[in-house]
Amino acid sequence: MRRIQGVAASKGVAVAPIIVIEEETVVVPNMDDPAGALVAAGSAVSAHLSNLSAEAAERGRKDAAEVLNAQALMAEDSMIADAVEEHLDDGENFDTALQNAATELQAMLASLPDPYLAARAADVGEVTDRLRRHLAGLPLSKGLSITEPSILCAAQITAAETATLDPNLVVGFATVEGGPTSHVAIIARSIGVPAVVGIPDLLTQVQSGEIGGIDGSTGELFVDLDDTMREELETRAAAEAAAHEAAQKFKGKRVSYRDAPVRVSANVANLDDVERAVAQNADGVGLMRTEFLFMDRPAPPSEDEQVEVYTTALSSFSDPVVIRTFDIGGDKPADFLEVDEEENPFLGVRGVRLYRNEPELFRTQLRALLRAAVAGELWVMIPMVATTSELVEVKEQLSLARDELAASSTPVGDLKLGVMIEVPSAALTADALAQHADFFSIGTNDLTQYAMAADRMSGTLEYLHDPVHPAVLALCQMTAKAGLRNGCPVSVCGEAAADPLAAALFMEMGITKLSVSAPSVNGIKAVIDQLDPEMMAEIQEQALSAADAPAVRMLNYRS
Ligand code: PEP
Ligand code: MG
């Protein structure tokens, strides 16, 4: 048996065969009858996609089922075949013709004003990928076909890929890339899949078919499990199940701290997450990461498509739903945006900084939000704000968006406008920002990354990623105090909100709302319920004056 230590990314224990995802090169050979081969490939791909669609429908993933069904129809449609034939007539080889035809069709569809057709551009790319795989003699699903519960090992799994994983089949995963607050890790937590990231030599240490064991709380991956370790993992799983059961007692309950009501809401990235949040009786949504609507597609979502998503989220809760405007950049690129290559994307044009370059894209989202606001209590927040002028510009765009909707007599609702505090300069000038903002939400993932100057994607800098470092805590406390002084409510929506010790410290700072992944909502309510405020006053003092994060971790805050 081998034990591999990685970075703990998403808690949970699982034992299952390992599947290693190899990076593959797909090359379609030239054929005597390319047209005939394409028709046959179209039927095979269509049948495969119809099966996937039926499986998605069975799992209650309506959105995914519809997309897969549309793709199944497209695979058999003559649109792609006709375009390929034109390229073959121009003398291109089969593979080049397939790729060029797809690029051309995607560009054509993306430019159409009809949002439904524009959204089909992404499907052309995915269907052509599968056609090429079939024609190259490879399995139809990218790199793997998972038929039984497995632990995936890969160099990298993108955030968007993680969001579509089936937790019944992918019972755990390990990657070479990624830190504890990388978006892959965050999504793994939201769908409740154990994950370990940041293992540099992972792919030389594991082989498909070996029995693996994963403990996402300790960051351990075991390969070629022996019986003793298997029993040990069963014991750990039982302890987690017991903790989960204890947390469930708080489902639907409201908790308070020092007699002030505290909300524990959910972080979501899509409507599947909204359903998970409803299932856990979360107190509303504290962060909807809307950029996931914009990723992995050749054209942005239309205003109408966005209205539909935001309206569904808003009408699912009576508590406020906090929707963050798109935070594209860093480790969340959008395919349709032409951006200059940056040396360090996390310090580049990201979040609010992009809105200056893309005012129309931003105003489309603002119009969608204003229209959706009639469906519930909407709080909108802006990511990556570093200085007040950014917020002033956002407000100007918001007022333009309002005017545009008024001109067409489109009904709009009220909304609150807030700021994410995730850049140290924002925490340090929180009093000034509070003059322009209705609320603050502290993004501890980025606040830690920027305060400690440690890339959140780096697995090797884990010792600098701890949000209870006194420097990060001081920035949080500064924000909390500025919020209280200016009547500006403060919440925490970074991953630290789900860290029991950090959550306890946030309570003592006077923060009255935490937002965590859906599976953590009730566990955090249980933590808050058991806090002893007298003890916490002392612990907070010690934490803020400690030398470093390990010293803070030594403090015993449990009464
Ligand atoms: C954060 O930075 O803490 C945050 C919540 O935003 P994201 O993780 O999406 O960057
Ligand atoms: Mg952030």
Side-chain angles (χ1 to χ4, degrees), residues 74-408:
M74 184 182 280
E76 282 196 300
D77 191 278
S78 61
M79 176 177 71
I80 295 177
D82 290 348
V84 172
E85 200 165 328
E86 276 180 29
H87 283 269
L88 287 170
D89 288 346
D90 288 345
E92 289 175 11
N93 72 39
F94 193 17
D95 203 10
T96 312
L98 278 160
Q99 293 178 62
N100 287 345
T103 312
E104 205 172 275
L105 280 173
Q106 281 183 297
M108 186 273 288
L109 286 169
S111 68
L112 295 177
D114 178 335
Y116 177 79
L117 290 177
R120 301 280 70 79
D123 297 330
V124 170
E126 286 177 25
V127 169
T128 313
D129 278 351
R130 288 191 201 258
L131 289 170
R132 290 185 59 239
R133 294 187 66 81
H134 184 79
L135 290 163
L138 294 167
L140 280 171
S141 287
K142 187 181 151 196
L144 69 161
S145 117
I146 309 173
T147 51
E148 56 170 351
S150 311
I151 294 174
L152 292 191
C153 291
Q156 191 188 20
I157 302 179
T158 67
E161 280 165 355
T162 315
T164 56
L165 289 181
D166 176 356
N168 294 316
L169 288 179
V170 179
V171 295
F173 69 81
T175 59
V176 174
E177 309 276 339
T181 58
S182 59
H183 286 94
V184 173
I186 290 170
I187 292 167
R189 284 195 278 277
S190 78
I191 57 177
V193 172
V196 175
V197 299
I199 307 174
D201 54 353
L202 174 67
L203 299 183
T204 59
Q205 301 224 42
V206 294
Q207 274 175 20
S208 289
E210 288 181 303
I211 298 297
I214 190 166
D215 183 342
S217 303
T218 58
E220 291 168 289
L221 179 69
F222 302 93
V223 188
D224 200 8
L225 269 194
D226 60 23
D227 287 347
T228 319
M229 197 59 224
R230 192 187 280 265
E231 272 171 34
E232 159 72 22
L233 286 178
E234 275 166 16
T235 311
R236 292 189 199 179
E240 285 199 352
H244 176 75
E245 201 159 307
Q248 288 305 301
K249 298 206 178 87
F250 285 85
K251 198 166 157 187
K253 280 200 184 164
R254 300 275 178 171
V255 286
S256 59
Y257 183 76
R258 290 189 184 272
D259 294 330
V262 175
R263 280 208 188 103
V264 183
S265 55
N267 290 349
V268 301
N270 52 38
L271 291 181
D272 286 336
D273 279 351
V274 168
E275 280 181 24
R276 289 184 191 104
V278 170
Q280 295 303 323
N281 287 40
D283 304 336
V285 166
L287 164 64
M288 179 176 218
R289 291 183 161 97
T290 61
E291 55 277 6
F292 283 96
L293 272 178
F294 292 70
M295 287 164 69
D296 268 2
R297 52 193 295 168
S302 68
E303 186 176 317
D304 286 349
E305 184 183 339
Q306 292 186 59
V307 172
E308 212 176 305
V309 174
Y310 307 150
T311 301
T312 307
L314 278 156
S315 44
S316 302
F317 297 94
S318 51
D319 282 312
V321 169
V322 184
I323 300 185
R324 174 173 77 185
T325 51
F326 56 81
D327 180 16
I328 292 171
D331 63 340
K332 294 174 290 187
D335 298 346
F336 55 85
L337 280 184
E338 297 248 332
V339 286
D340 293 336
E341 186 100 336
E342 291 177 308
E343 282 278 322
N344 189 339
F346 275 114
L347 295 183
V349 183
R350 183 193 160 187
V352 69
R353 303 167 183 193
L354 186 65
Y355 306 165
R356 282 186 179 181
N357 304 354
E358 301 290 338
E360 189 43 50
L361 191 65
F362 182 47
R363 263 206 328 285
T364 303
Q365 182 172 43
L366 292 176
R367 286 194 301 271
L369 288 165
L370 284 163
R371 287 169 57 192
V374 294
E377 192 175 343
L378 173 59
W379 294 25
V380 171
M381 68 180 174
I382 312 297
M384 283 296 290
V385 169
T387 187
T388 49
S389 64
E390 290 166 336
L391 197 52
V392 172
E393 282 175 32
V394 162
K395 285 187 149 179
E396 284 164 9
Q397 292 291 335
L398 185 60
S399 123
L400 276 178
R402 263 185 215 285
D403 293 347
E404 285 163 353
L405 291 169
S408 55

